[in-house]
Amino acid sequence: MITHRKITGVLLILMLLPGIEIHAQLGGILQKAKEKATTAIEKKIDKNSVSKGAEAAGNSGNSSISVGDSLIFAEDFSAFQARATATSFKTNGVATVTTVSGQKGKWMEIKDKAIYKFARQLSYPKRFTVSFDIIAKADQIKDIAPLSLGFASDNSAREYSSNIGTYVQLHYYDTNQVNIGSSKPEKFVNATFDLKPWLNRPLHVVLSVDGEQVAVYLNQVRLADTVLFMPAAAKNFYIAAPWEYANGAGVLVGNFKVSGFRK
C-alpha cells in the first residue's frame, strides 16, 4: 500500500528532475568550454615556446634549403692533378689535391694546425650560400680533433686560428657536438648532430647568409638560424683544420659553391 510519505517523495523527485537535467546540461557545457579554453592556452604556450626557442637556440630541425641561383665561386678540384697544390686556396700549411677511395672526384686535404681561405677575396652580396662537402677519414671518430669553419674579418692565412669571427665547430671526438657562435655579436649555440655515421663519406654543409642572419645545415638538417654578424661586417670564408689527428686520420673537403640570389 502506497503511503502519503512515499507519494510526497515521488512528487519531490519529479519536481527536481528538470533542475537536475538542466544542471547536468550546464555542467557539460561548462566542461566543454573549459576544455576548449585549456586547449587554446596550451596552443598559445606551445607557440610562444617554439618562438623563444628558435630565437635563443636557432630553430633546429629538418628544413628545406634555399641555395643561391647566381654562381659566384665554384671549386671541385677537377682542374688539378692528384698531388698538385690547390691554388684556389691560401693556407699557412699545404693544400694538396687527392682522390679518395670509393668516392667520386677530387678532394683537398686539410692538414692539422692549418687554416684555409679562398685565394681570391670574394665580394659577397647581402644574401648568399656557401656549400661544400667534408670527408672525415678515420677508423674511429675520436681520432679527429674539432674542425672549425665560418667567416673571418680578413682574408689572411698567415696564422692558424680556430673559432674566429662567425664559426661552426664540429667536435668529432665528442661524436655529436656542434658549436655555433660569433664573437661580434657575442652569440653561442650548442647543437647536436651525430657525426659518427659520416665517417669516410661526404657530409654536406650549407651556410645560408641573409644580412646578419646565418642558417647552418648539415646534411639538410638545420642546426641554427640566428644573428651571427654585425651590420656591414666583413666576411671571409675559412676552414680551420683540427689541431691534431691520430692513427692516420684526416679531413678532406671538396665541391665548393658560393652562390647569390637574383631575387
Side-chain angles (χ1 to χ4, degrees):
M1 184 173 180
I2 301 174
T3 63
H4 178 73
R5 183 177 294 178
K6 289 182 177 178
I7 293 171
T8 303
V10 170
L11 288 173
L12 284 171
I13 291 170
L14 291 173
M15 290 174 66
L16 288 170
L17 277 176
I20 293 169
E21 186 177 352
I22 291 169
H23 179 75
Q25 290 176 352
L26 285 172
I29 293 169
L30 289 171
Q31 182 62 31
K32 288 181 180 178
K34 183 179 178 182
E35 289 173 355
K36 287 182 179 179
T38 302
T39 302
I41 291 168
E42 288 174 349
K43 285 182 177 178
K44 186 175 181 181
I45 291 171
D46 287 343
K47 186 177 179 182
N48 289 340
S49 298
V50 170
S51 177
K52 289 178 182 177
E55 200 173 329
N59 196 19
S60 62
N62 291 317
S63 180
S64 58
I65 306 172
S66 296
V67 178
D69 54 10
S70 179
L71 189 64
I72 297 171
F73 171 84
E75 180 59 273
D76 62 3
F77 306 112
S78 59
F80 298 93
Q81 296 293 324
R83 311 313 304 171
T85 297
T87 55
S88 48
F89 279 79
K90 59 170 64 175
T91 178
N92 64 327
V94 292
T96 305
V97 175
T98 187
T99 57
V100 179
S101 178
Q103 301 296 335
K104 296 179 180 179
K106 294 177 181 176
W107 302 80
M108 182 176 71
E109 293 179 328
I110 300 296
K111 295 296 183 181
D112 55 18
K113 304 177 184 64
I115 191 166
Y116 296 81
K117 297 182 180 181
F118 296 140
R120 177 171 61 88
Q121 190 165 15
L122 302 182
S123 177
Y124 295 101
K126 178 184 177 183
R127 187 178 176 215
F128 66 94
T129 55
V130 177
S131 65
F132 62 102
D133 295 321
I134 298 174
I135 296 179
K137 186 180 67 172
D139 292 328
Q140 49 187 352
I141 199 164
K142 69 179 183 180
D143 289 336
I144 304 175
L147 173 144
S148 297
L149 56 99
F151 297 92
S153 59
D154 61 58
N155 206 45
S156 173
R158 291 182 180 179
E159 295 181 359
Y160 175 82
S161 187
S162 182
N163 286 9
I164 53 176
T166 295
Y167 63 87
V168 178
Q169 187 178 59
L170 309 182
H171 279 244
Y172 284 103
Y173 55 36
D174 290 326
T175 72
N176 69 345
Q177 295 298 305
V178 179
N179 292 339
I180 300 165
S182 172
S183 57
K184 293 181 181 181
E186 290 189 4
K187 181 71 68 73
F188 180 82
V189 177
N190 177 242
T192 57
F193 181 88
D194 193 359
L195 295 164
K196 193 172 182 179
W198 297 95
L199 278 182
N200 303 305
R201 63 191 183 113
L203 171 63
H204 193 57
V205 179
V206 177
L207 304 179
S208 181
V209 179
D210 187 356
E212 294 89 47
Q213 193 88 5
V214 182
V216 178
Y217 300 86
L218 296 183
N219 192 44
Q220 298 186 342
V221 176
R222 184 173 57 198
L223 300 186
D225 189 352
T226 187
V227 173
L228 293 178
F229 288 115
M230 296 292 285
K235 300 176 180 70
N236 295 275
F237 178 76
Y238 75 89
I239 297 175
W243 183 252
E244 62 181 358
Y245 300 113
N247 302 316
V251 171
L252 304 101
V253 293
N255 305 313
F256 287 88
K257 283 187 179 179
V258 180
S259 304
F261 291 82
R262 291 191 179 94
K263 295 182 181 179

